[in-house]
Structures are given as C-alpha cells and as structure tokens.
Amino acid sequence: MCGIVGYVGPKSTLDVLLGGLRRLEYRGYDSAGVSIIAPGGQLETRKKAGKLDNLIAEITNHPLPIANIGIGHTRWATHGAPTDGNAHPHLGGPTSKLSLIHNGIIENFGELKAELAAIGTKFASETDSEVAAHLIAREFETTGDLPIAFANVVKRLHGAFTILVIHEDQPDVVLAARRNAPLVIGLGDGENFLGSDVAAFVEHTKRAIAVGQDEIVILRAGSVEIRTFDGTPVTPVEFTVDWDASAASKGGWSSFMAKEIADQPQAVADTLMGRLGSDGSVRLSEIDGLSAQDIKDIDRIIMVACGTASYACDVAKYAIEKYSRIPVQVELSHEFRYRDPIVTKNTLIVAVSQSGETMDTLMATRYAKEQGAKVLAICNTQGATLARESDAVIYTHAGPEVAVASTKALTAQITAGFLLALFLGAGREKVSTTELRRLGHELLKMPAHVTEVIENLDLARKLGKEMANAKSVLFLGRNVGFPIAMEGALKLKELAYIHAEGFAAGELKHGPIALIEEGQPVIVIVPSQRDEDSLHPKVISNIQEIRARGAKVIAIAEEGDNQVADYAEHVIFVPQSESMFAPILTVIPLQIFALELSTAKGLDVDQPRNLAKSVTVE
Ligand code: AGP
C-alpha cells in the first residue's frame, strides 16, 4: 500500500524524502510525489504517475529549491486511476498553500466532497485525499490554528487513513494523524521523521515511536508532540529499531526475494533466539500478558491470517493440537470477521501477520476482542498496529521482508508456531516433559538444516528455469505437507501469473485427478518414511496414480528416502528432521522454483503486478 515519508530538519529534505520512498517501494505503488517548503515559505510540489524514476526525472527537469521540511508519498491507486493528477501530494485551499499526503481510504469522502462543491470548491483530482486537503485548508482559514484545524477535520473522516500535512504559512511543522493505518515517528538530533514504517527513516535513526489509533503528531525539528484527536496529550513510548538500513537493501542480490530466501537460516535462528533453552525448554516471556490460568482456561484456538501467513497457521495447527491437545481452527481473516463466528472469553485468537497492518486481520482481531477473546499476535514488524492492539505478541525476527512474496517471514512464522505449540504443551501438561525437551532440541537443529537446503537448490533452480513455459502446475501434500503445497501454489500464482493449485494428496481421487493429463507437472511434498505412522506409502500411491495418467512428478523428499526416486522424474532432497518441523525445509525449494520460473519469464519478482506488500485496506 502507499508509502509515506515526512521530514523536518537540517538535511536536504528532498534527499531524505526520495531515500525514504525508495526504501518503501516494496509496499507496491503506481505513482509518487513530494512537497517541500523552501526557506522564505514557498511551497512546491512535484508528482508523477509510474515509478520513482519518473518523479526523479520530473524533478531534474523542474528542480526544487533546497528545503528543510517536506512530505513524500508513493500511491497504490484506490480512488482514481494512477495518473499525474491523482498522484499525491494534493493541494488544498484556493491559494494551494497546503499540501497533503494520505494512505488509506476515506469512506465518507462523497458527502464531504459535496459539502465543498456546494461552496464552489474546484477539484484537480478524483481522489478522496484531495477532499481532506481542501477541508483542512478551509478550517485553517476559520480557526487560524493549524493543529486545531487539522484535528477538527480528521475527527470527521471515516475509514482508514494516515495523513500528513504541511502549510506554507507554518513552514516549521509537519502535522500527521492516523486512524486504522500505520504511522511511526523517527527521532533524530535536531531533526525528526515520519513514515508508514520504519524503513522510511532507518538509515537516519533507529529511535522510533509508534503512533496510536486516533492520534495526531505535531512534528518540528526540535520537538515531537502527540495528542489524541480530542487534544489530550499522549505520552510517547519509544522503541529501538532492531535492524539497519542495509537489512532493507538488496546487498548485491539479484532481488530482495533472492536475498530473503537466503536469509532464512538467520530468520529461523533469530526467531528461536532466547526462547529455547539448551535443555529444550521453551520460554516465551512475551506472552506474560496471558496468565497461567488464562492458558489453562483456553478451550479453543482460532488462528486468523491471510495468504501465506494463513499457511503458517495451517502448519502450526498440527503442532499445537498434537502437543497441547487444544482444538485449533484456522480461518481466513476476512471470512472469520463476517461470518458471525462463535467466540468466547476462553477462545484464544492467534493472529499471524508479517506486516501487522493487514486490515482484514486487524478487523478480525478487533471483532474477536469485542467478543471477549484474548489475542496473541505473531508479527514481524515492531510497533505494528496488530502488535499494539493485541494482548500479547510473539515477534518473529526475520528482519525487514521487502519482496512482496513472503518467504523468510513464513519460515519464521512457522518457527514461532512451533514454539507456541511446545509452550502450550508444557502449560497443559499433555505431552511429557521429556518429549517436549526432545522436540525443543530438534527445533534447535532447524537453522542448520535450513542452511543445508539453501546450499543445495541447484535442481530447484534448474527446473524453475526449464518450466518457464508451463501453463499449469499442481502441488500435492499430506498432513503438514498440505499447507506447503498450498503455499507453493500461491508463490507460483503471485510470481509467474500462471495457474497453480495445491491439494491435499488424499483429495485427488475426489475430483482433482481429472486435471491430470499427459505432461502435467505435479510437485509432491513427500513425508518422511522413517516414522512408524508415516504417510509415506500413501503419498507414494498418490504419485503412482497421477503418473499412470501422464503426470510429470517432481518430489520434495527427505534425504535417505530410498523409494521415491523410482516414482518421480526429479527428486529434490531436504535434510532429515523431526517430521513435524519439515515444512520449514520443504517450502524453500518451492520458493526458489517460483522465483526462477518468474525470472525466466522476465517478470519482476520483487513487485509482482497488482500486488502490494501490505494490504492495509479491506
Ligand atoms: C504472500 O507471498 C503475500 N505477500 C500475501 O499472501 C501475504 O502473505 C498476505 O497478504 C498477509 O500479509 P501479512 O503477513 O503482512 O498480514
């Protein structure tokens, strides 16, 4: 979704704004713009449809003066096509002395626009954002106090918004407000920053404040004031960003996605760090917000998420039920929210989100809290809205995930799900301490196993390149392999724009096998054959069924599997591990397969068409 940057201080504002917008590109956008106020108070704006390079070319052709205050925006079109005129910033008032940028949707903009039109306001764009700009400019003319005028207007706006405003007559202050959309403050020495996430300013400062719901920020070079929409002062809570600018840059990799796939050993290790004792015991101090009695009282867990994050939930379900015997259901956030679900005070909601800003998941957790449930978040972004609105949060430590296609966040989410499963198991005493400790030790081995997978991806790469012309790929899996089949299909859909579908292998005979024809590529996640209750024989049978009908099978199997090679054209082996934990390994070849196939088709793996990194609208 939209990227937002604000700055006031001694640096070249344009450099700060463009640098921040560049670092926010991963959020997905289709136009960009900046406004600055030059010393002496001249407000100037440049904005263009398309990528940042178009804006930079515009500024090269029409240079901006040096300035010490400004706002910048990358827009993902909602109201109005991605054109120069609809790009942000938008100017407000008859003299256009006010400039505004906005992330979100103003749901009541129609009635507000009619109010302005009735007094003769002329509009330069089709956007809801421009309506807010004119409203604030008009209110400022009435009140003569910009923060008051700003508060008076944002209170009237319904929907989701992060809004930044600067005004030529007040050239030392950036005003900001947020409701149902992300906003963070970066604290500098004699300078201050605003961003839709910390990537906007992390190269300048790691000191940050997350702005809460219905709060206004009055930002000057030497001061930061936060108030509620009603004017009540808010005491800021500062946090330190735990990654640096290089973490949010490609660092020589061909794409952010390639870098982030390779980051996975560290992402898994960092997510385990400090939470697994050498004796295999799990310590999750972050969920102290849930008492021991709360945990004993849990009679059901509902996991809510979207997309890839929902597949992390599907994997975690197997582990949580197996080790804690607490019933778990996984729901897509947007379905859960509107189906009048049964939620009680003994329901634990586990919300999984990399960005912590996915509006569907935020709406689901807000609904559940209204029903009296406690919410535990598994989130990768410090200070994100979801983390702040939950009763407890387990942060994954995958570092910034810039590519739209989620990879390291997924393996970190799955890891966090396993930690939670072992933690709840210990609390419910359903599995012996000895067994839980053994599992803890097995989990500690996973970063090394992930490294081995990363170092042996040549075949997956080769197959991805060779299958660039595939029109359809099917994915099969059983048990914990089933969510990974779904994830493999999603990766191919979002990166290569081809038909791909994941199935439970056992479901084949109930319909999907009709899809199998000569040459149909099918990727099968094969379970370990080492367990006494292994589903390996069943999956081998499934492979035989589809090969008998012409399928070309690529198997993802465990090293030492001495049967699978007889039934598959290609076998990609992953190290032996605890069967439950295998998804952390088996998903990686599917990630690289999709990346290579997309690259072979000449597509943009980091910013696939139509997609945004964080879907902050419902
Ligand atoms: C996955 O590759 C996609 N980027 C998408 O499915 C994503 O996982 C989903 O939108 C959820 O995002 P979140 O984890 O930030 O909530």
Side-chain angles (χ1 to χ4, degrees):
M1 306 330 268
C2 306
I4 282 202
V5 187
Y7 177 69
V8 53
K11 289 189 176 78
S12 158
T13 295
L14 185 60
D15 292 344
V16 173
L17 297 180
L18 293 176
L21 292 180
R22 183 68 76 189
R23 222 175 283 293
L24 292 173
E25 278 194 295
Y26 71 88
R27 299 170 68 89
Y29 70 103
D30 38 43
S31 62
V34 294
S35 281
I36 55 99
I37 300 177
Q42 181 71 33
L43 171 73
E44 295 218 33
T45 298
R46 303 286 185 275
K47 57 184 188 175
K48 286 298 278 183
K51 297 301 184 188
L52 268 183
D53 292 343
N54 291 4
L55 174 63
I56 291 167
E58 173 73 4
I59 293 169
T60 304
N61 295 335
H62 305 285
L64 286 168
I66 296 296
N68 301 116
I69 183 169
I71 53 180
H73 187 269
T74 49
R75 176 176 183 254
W76 187 76
T78 50
H79 291 87
T83 62
D84 293 358
N86 286 334
H88 298 211
H90 289 287
L91 303 182
T95 57
S96 299
K97 285 186 168 185
L98 178 141
S99 180
L100 174 142
I101 57 177
H102 165 224
N103 173 18
I105 291 178
I106 298 171
E107 291 178 343
N108 60 330
F109 91 98
E111 63 192 76
L112 297 171
K113 186 165 186 173
E115 182 185 307
L116 289 164
I119 57 171
T121 303
K122 297 290 179 255
F123 295 91
S125 77
E126 309 157 81
T127 67
D128 54 346
S129 313
E130 187 187 358
V131 170
H134 288 301
L135 285 172
I136 297 165
R138 187 183 67 165
E139 187 72 7
F140 180 39
E141 286 169 11
T142 306
T143 65
D145 180 313
L146 191 58
I148 296 291
F150 187 64
N152 290 348
V153 170
V154 296
K155 274 188 273 194
R156 298 181 62 197
L157 307 181
H158 301 161
F161 55 86
T162 298
I163 289 176
L164 268 59
V165 156
I166 55 176
H167 195 293
E168 197 170 285
D169 294 346
Q170 309 249 324
D172 67 334
V173 65
V174 181
L175 295 177
R178 66 146 302 214
R179 169 175 282 170
N180 295 328
L183 178 63
V184 284
I185 299 166
L187 299 170
D189 183 6
E191 60 183 5
N192 289 305
F193 307 79
L194 288 161
S196 28
D197 72 46
V198 295
F201 52 71
V202 73
E203 67 182 295
H204 303 290
T205 180
K206 296 188 179 182
R207 295 174 55 212
I209 295 169
V211 180
Q213 180 78 326
D214 288 5
E215 291 180 355
I216 281 171
V217 180
I218 302 169
L219 191 98
R220 292 183 170 85
S223 68
V224 173
E225 184 186 348
I226 305 176
R227 302 173 185 172
T228 64
F229 282 7
D230 296 327
T232 308
V234 172
T235 304
V237 177
E238 189 177 322
F239 68 89
T240 302
V241 179
D242 70 356
W243 43 271
D244 59 24
S246 65
S249 65
K250 279 193 275 193
W253 290 88
S254 59
S255 64
F256 280 113
M257 185 178 177
K259 171 179 178 289
E260 289 154 10
I261 289 173
D263 283 349
Q264 292 183 102
Q266 197 62 50
V268 173
D270 289 351
T271 300
L272 291 172
M273 185 95 58
R275 293 165 167 164
L276 255 181
S278 55
D279 62 355
S281 62
V282 175
R283 292 189 298 273
L284 286 180
S285 56
E286 306 94 315
I287 57 181
D288 288 347
L290 300 177
S291 70
Q293 192 55 49
D294 286 335
I295 288 171
K296 287 198 185 308
D297 292 345
I298 298 167
D299 62 9
R300 187 156 57 104
I301 291 173
I302 300 177
M303 302 188 82
V304 293
C306 299
T308 289
S310 73
Y311 302 136
C313 298
D314 288 325
V315 172
K317 168 190 167 81
Y318 288 94
I320 296 172
E321 288 199 342
K322 183 176 176 72
Y323 303 142
S324 76
R325 308 313 295 162
I326 301 172
V328 178
Q329 67 193 71
V330 178
E331 302 241 9
L332 293 172
S333 304
H334 37 81
E335 284 297 314
F336 170 81
R337 168 67 186 81
Y338 296 106
R339 67 172 188 80
D340 192 15
I342 298 164
V343 177
T344 74
K345 66 180 177 52
N346 295 329
T347 305
L348 175 65
I349 301 292
V350 178
V352 179
S353 174
Q354 187 285 130
S355 64
E357 301 300 346
T358 297
M359 187 52 69
D360 290 319
T361 301
L362 291 175
M363 298 305 282
T365 52
R366 288 170 187 164
Y367 175 83
K369 284 177 74 94
E370 289 162 10
Q371 308 305 312
K374 291 208 179 302
V375 175
L376 167 62
I378 295 178
C379 184
N380 193 51
T381 307
Q382 286 175 288
T385 303
L386 177 68
R388 283 184 289 106
E389 294 185 358
S390 298
D391 297 291
V393 57
I394 300 174
Y395 277 113
T396 49
H397 296 294
E401 187 176 73
V402 176
V404 167
S406 188
T407 51
K408 64 177 181 176
L410 170 68
T411 44
Q413 288 163 351
I414 293 174
T415 301
F418 291 147
L419 283 168
L420 178 61
L422 295 178
F423 177 83
L424 292 172
R428 303 283 283 224
E429 298 167 343
K430 295 293 185 186
V431 174
S432 73
T433 302
T434 307
E435 175 59 3
L436 289 172
R437 298 293 163 89
R438 182 191 71 79
L439 290 164
H441 282 123
E442 290 304 317
L443 196 50
L444 276 172
K445 297 175 185 173
M446 294 312 288
H449 291 333
V450 174
T451 298
E452 270 188 70
V453 175
I454 297 289
E455 290 170 352
N456 293 283
L457 288 171
D458 291 349
L459 179 52
R461 291 184 195 284
K462 174 175 175 289
L463 292 170
K465 289 170 183 164
E466 287 175 358
M467 293 173 65
N469 297 321
K471 295 291 178 278
S472 158
V473 179
L474 306 183
F475 294 77
L476 297 185
R478 271 187 190 263
N479 197 275
V480 291
F482 172 30
I484 300 307
M486 300 298 288
E487 166 62 7
L490 176 60
K491 281 289 154 301
L492 212 49
K493 280 181 259 196
E494 63 178 330
L495 289 165
Y497 316 155
I498 62 171
H499 170 259
E501 199 161 347
F503 298 103
E507 189 61 11
L508 265 179
K509 292 187 287 295
H510 303 285
I513 201 163
L515 287 170
I516 304 298
E517 55 191 21
E518 188 58 36
Q520 170 66 52
V522 183
I523 297 179
V524 184
I525 293 95
V526 180
S528 168
Q529 65 182 142
R530 291 177 294 127
D531 303 337
E532 69 265 6
D533 57 354
S534 168
L535 295 166
H536 186 272
K538 291 185 185 302
V539 174
I540 292 298
S541 301
N542 295 143
I543 291 176
Q544 289 173 299
E545 288 157 10
I546 57 177
R547 289 199 76 206
R549 291 162 175 82
K552 297 295 177 206
V553 173
I554 298 168
I556 313 289
E558 193 180 68
E559 281 164 4
D561 184 324
N562 57 17
Q563 290 182 32
V564 68
D566 296 338
Y567 303 99
E569 275 67 27
H570 303 284
V571 183
I572 298 171
F573 287 105
V574 297
Q576 291 186 0
S577 72
E578 181 68 25
S579 296
M580 181 66 78
F581 304 155
I584 294 175
L585 309 179
T586 56
V587 74
I588 298 172
L590 307 186
Q591 296 168 345
I592 212 72
F593 173 79
L595 180 151
E596 292 295 348
L597 198 154
S598 173
T599 304
K601 293 181 73 171
L603 301 174
D604 181 346
V605 296
D606 282 341
Q607 296 176 38
R609 69 183 181 193
N610 307 339
L611 291 175
K613 180 59 181 172
S614 177
V615 184
T616 57
V617 292
E618 274 195 294

